[in-house]
């Protein structure tokens, strides 16, 4: 969808692949070894880091269901995406991650 993006760590070189899908890559700016980061880059890094905290919390909620905490049987491998989707969907029934 228009405006959707993917968050990745530094060093991921997948921007051209994502552009073909109409997605934006959001990674923290890379600091050069010879000088300090620009103020705009520091602010962008802080903004991305604040979003990552929420993403990690959301992933943690999915993991708390403990459906996927053990080895997945090979017979279920073709259904792993659906299983993950259901676990994510179930988190919609718990209180908000970010209070209003």
């Amino acid at each position: 969808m228009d405006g959707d993006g993917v968050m990745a760590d530094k060093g991921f070189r997948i921007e051209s692949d994502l552009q073909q899908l109409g997605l934006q890559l959001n990674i923290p700016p890379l600091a050069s070894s010879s000088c300090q980061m620009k103020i705009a880059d520091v602010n962008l890094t802080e903004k991305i880091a604040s979003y990552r905290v929420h993403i990690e919390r959301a992933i943690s909620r999915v993991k708390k269901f403990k459906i996927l905490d053990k080895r997945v049987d090979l017979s279920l491998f073709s259904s792993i995406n659906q299983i993950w989707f259901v676990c994510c969907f179930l988190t919609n029934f718990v209180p908000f991650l970010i209070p209003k």
Side-chain angles (χ1 to χ4, degrees):
M1 305 229 16
D2 195 28
D4 285 349
V6 172
M7 189 175 291
D9 286 328
K10 297 174 184 176
F12 279 83
R13 303 289 179 223
I14 57 174
E15 191 165 13
S16 61
D17 297 327
L18 293 176
Q19 284 177 346
Q20 291 174 2
L21 298 171
L23 299 170
Q24 178 183 356
L25 177 62
N26 297 304
I27 59 170
L30 297 172
S32 64
S33 59
S34 60
C35 64
Q36 291 183 339
M37 291 178 76
K38 298 175 189 167
I39 270 296
D41 288 344
V42 170
N43 292 337
L44 180 60
T45 300
E46 288 175 354
K47 184 178 179 180
I48 290 173
S50 70
Y51 292 133
R52 284 187 65 145
V53 168
H54 298 304
I55 291 168
E56 293 299 329
R57 288 179 183 165
I59 292 170
S60 174
R61 282 187 170 188
V62 174
K63 289 180 177 181
K64 283 183 182 178
F65 286 112
K66 299 190 182 218
I67 293 172
L68 297 172
D69 67 340
K70 295 180 177 62
R71 181 178 230 141
V72 177
D73 190 73
L74 191 58
S75 65
L76 295 174
F77 191 72
S78 63
S79 302
I80 195 70
N81 286 335
Q82 291 89 348
I83 294 169
W84 180 256
F85 176 84
V86 169
C87 292
C88 293
F89 183 78
L90 290 172
T91 64
N92 290 322
F93 297 103
V94 295
F96 289 116
L97 187 61
I98 304 169
K100 289 185 177 182

